[in-house]
Amino acid sequence: MQKKLKLWDAIMLVMGSMIGSGIFIVSADMMRNLGSGYWMIVVWVITGIMTVAAAISYGELSSLFPKAGGQYTYLTEIFGKKMGFLYGWGLFTVIQTGTIAAVAMAFGKFTAYLVPELNNAAPIFQSGTFQITWIQILAIAVIILLTYINTRGVESGKLLQNVFTGSKILALLGLIALGFILVDFSHLAENFSFGTDSFNNLKQDDKGIFLQSGWESISGMTLMGGIAAAMVGSVFSSVAWESVTFVSGEIENPKKNVVKAMILGTSAVMLLYIAVNFVYINALDRDSIAFAANDRVAVAASQNIFGSAGTVIIAVLVMVSTFGCNNGLILAGARVFQTMAKDGLFFKSAVENNKNQVPGNALWMQGIWASLLCLSGQYGNLLDMISFVIVLFYMITVFGVIYLRIKQPNLERPYKTWLYPITPIIYLLIGTAFCVLLLIYKQQYTWPGFLIVLLGLPVYYLINRNKKTD
């Protein structure tokens, strides 16, 4: 691997992969579950602590195993090939490709804001409830374009990543500043007036549209369930930072720069996210956040800030954000599948680099599967199901830091987890609470994703039927 990515490039990859469409949408569902500006910010702060604690912990593993494959490599080195394969299987079938599909579809849907003909056009194909629309075709075109650009060399992907990530960071900073300067009437005090009281309003009509009446006070374990449900959105918006570990083999001085990129990148993004939510709470009242049309809270807030131009401003911002986000996901994900292929756990043709010294075949395999998920229309459901599994794999990896400290205390660690063992334990405690509460209160978010990953077991044994497995 050629070392063509510097520290700044790695930070841009972390931030660009994290900031997609979620921050512009998920706060509506969070408000419906919690009914209070106070609790909404608390959930974002908890998610921020979780995310940065995980990044700090991963830093130790990235310095121990500074090579391509990242989290897949860590799990394989610590817990064996089977665990590594199950992660890689989940990454290819749903986690990475499903996220690519969902982010591409978000690009298509917000493009339709600017080009209404996309929304109004008849489906290209329809059979029962299954249909293929022009928005899906646009999403696939974006995936194919970005995959092609990344096959042209890591420098092409790097340049695109830096330009689009820089643009959306500046745009978000502008939205945050103007969200307090230009709003005629602040709802901040109103949204925080409930204090620690919490409410939910999840009643729907027969068409599945949320009703704007019937807030119910919640507390105790019901509140805990509401926090866990709200965290599905904030966690989904805060994942993919580990993508930088997938390209460790192409980063200058990876033993130091990967951990710096993860900690600086995740901290900056979580501060941006919390600030953006303060803008929502300032610009909109509780009902306007909870029942924003199609959950597009950012659009509703932007209309209050910028007037009629708000819709166009947010549509362009989301298009820039999702385009840059998908570039980072596409660039990084293929490196994992190439590393799996070298270990005999993926298609052999994914092993080779192309003439531009990037894993061209792995990039196209990832792009084709993500495109098929776009056509299926099931990417959103799959991602809801997989949030639980993403956190489980994060927890297993963070636990790996503690496990290695006990099993191999004399390993040379160029970077040691800050405040060990407090930092990994904080993540494990919050992650465990999140997963247990979902298992109790929101099982539709848990067992389907777990089942998808477990389906990888027979595939693993099939691949290794003539080999000695571990």
Side-chain angles (χ1 to χ4, degrees):
M1 291 288 184
Q2 297 181 8
K3 310 287 187 182
K4 292 188 176 181
L5 300 175
K6 301 182 187 301
L7 174 60
W8 178 253
D9 304 320
I11 293 171
M12 289 294 98
L13 180 58
V14 171
M15 296 184 72
S17 298
M18 288 178 75
I19 306 170
S21 59
I23 186 59
F24 305 105
I25 297 169
V26 299
S27 295
D29 184 64
M30 293 171 71
M31 184 60 90
R32 287 194 296 270
N33 276 285
L34 298 168
S36 157
Y38 171 85
W39 282 108
M40 200 165 89
I41 295 298
V42 164
V43 167
W44 281 107
V45 170
I46 292 170
T47 306
I49 291 168
M50 260 184 94
T51 304
V52 177
I56 291 169
S57 302
Y58 272 50
E60 184 165 318
L61 300 179
S62 73
S63 70
L64 279 169
F65 311 112
K67 50 190 177 182
Q71 190 168 351
Y72 161 78
T73 301
Y74 310 157
L75 291 169
T76 301
E77 293 280 355
I78 300 168
F79 300 112
K81 276 191 174 183
K82 191 186 299 179
M83 180 65 77
F85 175 80
L86 287 178
Y87 171 72
W89 164 265
L91 200 74
F92 183 77
T93 53
V94 179
I95 297 172
Q96 198 79 358
T97 51
T99 304
I100 289 168
V103 172
M105 285 297 294
F107 176 90
K109 288 175 180 176
F110 276 89
T111 303
Y113 252 57
L114 302 181
V115 188
E117 290 80 5
L118 280 172
N119 264 334
N120 302 332
I124 300 168
F125 173 83
Q126 185 156 9
S127 177
T129 56
F130 176 78
Q131 62 180 23
I132 298 174
T133 67
W134 285 106
I135 290 176
Q136 287 168 295
I137 297 301
L138 176 59
I140 291 169
V142 167
I143 292 170
I144 291 170
L145 173 64
L146 288 172
T147 299
Y148 172 74
I149 290 170
N150 278 281
T151 63
R152 303 297 296 168
V154 72
E155 288 180 333
S156 300
K158 176 182 82 173
L159 176 63
L160 200 67
Q161 190 65 28
N162 291 352
V163 169
F164 276 83
T165 301
S167 299
K168 64 184 170 185
I169 290 169
L170 289 173
L172 280 173
L173 289 172
L175 176 66
I176 291 162
L178 296 174
F180 288 94
I181 295 169
L182 299 183
V183 169
D184 292 330
F185 179 81
S186 171
H187 296 274
L188 205 60
E190 172 192 340
N191 279 310
F192 278 101
S193 66
F194 304 109
T196 56
D197 293 338
S198 50
F199 312 85
N200 69 25
N201 190 352
L202 303 171
K203 295 175 181 176
Q204 296 171 283
D205 62 18
D206 53 4
K207 294 180 180 177
I209 297 171
F210 286 99
L211 302 171
Q212 294 191 34
S213 59
W215 288 100
E216 294 179 356
S217 178
I218 58 172
S219 58
M221 288 307 293
T222 309
L223 170 59
M224 292 296 101
I227 289 172
M231 279 182 69
V232 170
S234 60
V235 166
F236 169 67
S237 302
S238 309
V239 296
W241 51 268
E242 76 281 5
S243 291
V244 73
T245 69
F246 302 164
V247 295
S248 293
E250 292 156 271
I251 295 174
E252 287 183 358
N253 195 3
K255 289 185 179 182
K256 290 184 178 179
N257 285 341
V258 173
V259 62
K260 286 180 181 177
M262 286 192 292
I263 294 172
L264 293 172
T266 55
S267 300
V269 169
M270 295 317 302
L271 288 172
L272 279 174
Y273 281 0
I274 291 167
V276 167
N277 276 276
F278 269 107
V279 170
Y280 297 158
I281 292 167
N282 185 59
L284 302 168
D285 62 25
R286 178 172 69 178
D287 279 10
S288 298
I289 297 172
F291 307 110
N294 297 311
D295 284 356
R296 292 180 177 129
V297 184
V299 171
S302 191
Q303 285 172 332
N304 269 17
I305 298 166
F306 303 108
S308 57
T311 300
V312 174
I313 290 169
I314 287 297
V316 171
L317 174 53
V318 175
M319 287 169 66
V320 169
S321 181
T322 49
F323 195 82
C325 176
N326 247 355
N327 182 68
L329 295 170
I330 289 167
L331 186 157
R335 273 64 178 177
V336 179
F337 311 131
Q338 182 185 45
T339 306
M340 290 177 69
K342 289 176 180 176
D343 292 342
L345 297 175
F346 199 68
F347 300 106
K348 285 183 181 178
S349 58
V351 171
E352 297 299 323
N353 277 340
N354 64 14
K355 64 181 181 181
N356 299 311
Q357 297 303 307
V358 293
N361 289 339
L363 279 161
W364 284 117
M365 291 173 190
Q366 173 185 257
I368 289 166
W369 182 244
S371 297
L372 289 172
L373 288 179
C374 282
L375 287 179
S376 75
Q378 296 305 305
Y379 52 86
N381 294 334
L382 290 170
L383 286 172
D384 282 344
M385 297 171 189
I386 212 74
S387 295
F388 173 79
V389 174
I390 292 173
V391 172
L392 270 184
F393 277 122
Y394 279 160
M395 288 173 63
I396 294 167
T397 310
V398 169
F399 174 72
V401 176
I402 298 172
Y403 182 81
L404 272 185
R405 286 282 189 111
I406 295 168
K407 285 287 185 179
Q408 299 184 56
N410 298 322
L411 272 179
E412 183 185 344
R413 292 170 168 84
Y415 165 83
K416 292 185 177 181
T417 299
W418 184 59
L419 291 180
Y420 176 89
I422 295 171
T423 305
I425 287 172
I426 285 172
Y427 185 85
L428 293 172
L429 288 174
I430 298 174
T432 300
F434 172 71
C435 290
V436 168
L437 288 166
L438 282 185
L439 280 167
I440 296 170
Y441 293 100
K442 298 285 179 180
Q443 293 180 8
Q444 72 270 27
Y445 290 142
T446 57
W447 65 265
F450 196 59
L451 192 60
I452 289 169
V453 172
L454 287 181
L455 285 173
L457 278 175
V459 177
Y460 175 80
Y461 288 117
L462 183 66
I463 291 171
N464 290 279
R465 62 189 182 279
N466 296 321
K467 305 176 190 174
K468 182 182 178 183
T469 60
D470 59 357

